[in-house]
Amino acid sequence: MNQYDLNLILNPNLSAEQLQIEKDYIDTTLRNAGAEVTNLDDVGNRRLAYAVGKDREGYYLMYTIRASGNPEKDIAANLRLRDNVRRILVVKDRPEWKTKKA
């Protein structure tokens, strides 16, 4: 299993109940794809560099997951169908990116 970073930007105008529904759906999607969540960083509302769907802010969720196969295809394709998901980025974590070069 490889480690991936899954970054999501959600609609910033969600109520607490709607936000919890979206988080539950994301967790269910990850479990169904065989992924394991190792870390969740719930950043909250942040200003975007450019407007996405007429919104200048977005609700950020940053997951660290362990998955096999192709999560870019499996997970991201399923989450893109949600109306409240604005952007998705799945990046494979590579150990050489974390080492400091002299």
Side-chain angles (χ1 to χ4, degrees), residues 61-73:
L61 293 172
M62 297 180 198
Y63 289 86
T64 303
I65 61 172
R66 295 184 52 77
S68 58
N70 189 0
E72 295 95 350
K73 179 183 160 198

Side-chain angles (χ1 to χ4, degrees), residues 23-38:
K23 287 180 182 179
D24 291 342
Y25 183 82
I26 293 166
D27 289 339
T28 303
T29 302
L30 291 173
R31 270 197 313 273
N32 290 344
E36 169 190 337
V37 177
T38 57

Side-chain angles (χ1 to χ4, degrees), residues 31-71:
R31 270 197 313 273
N32 290 344
E36 169 190 337
V37 177
T38 57
N39 187 27
L40 168 60
D41 189 13
D42 189 344
V43 178
N45 281 340
R46 295 283 185 235
R47 185 164 172 79
L48 299 171
Y50 55 90
V52 176
K54 297 185 181 178
D55 288 326
R56 294 293 296 170
E57 289 186 345
Y59 193 91
Y60 281 77
L61 293 172
M62 297 180 198
Y63 289 86
T64 303
I65 61 172
R66 295 184 52 77
S68 58
N70 189 0

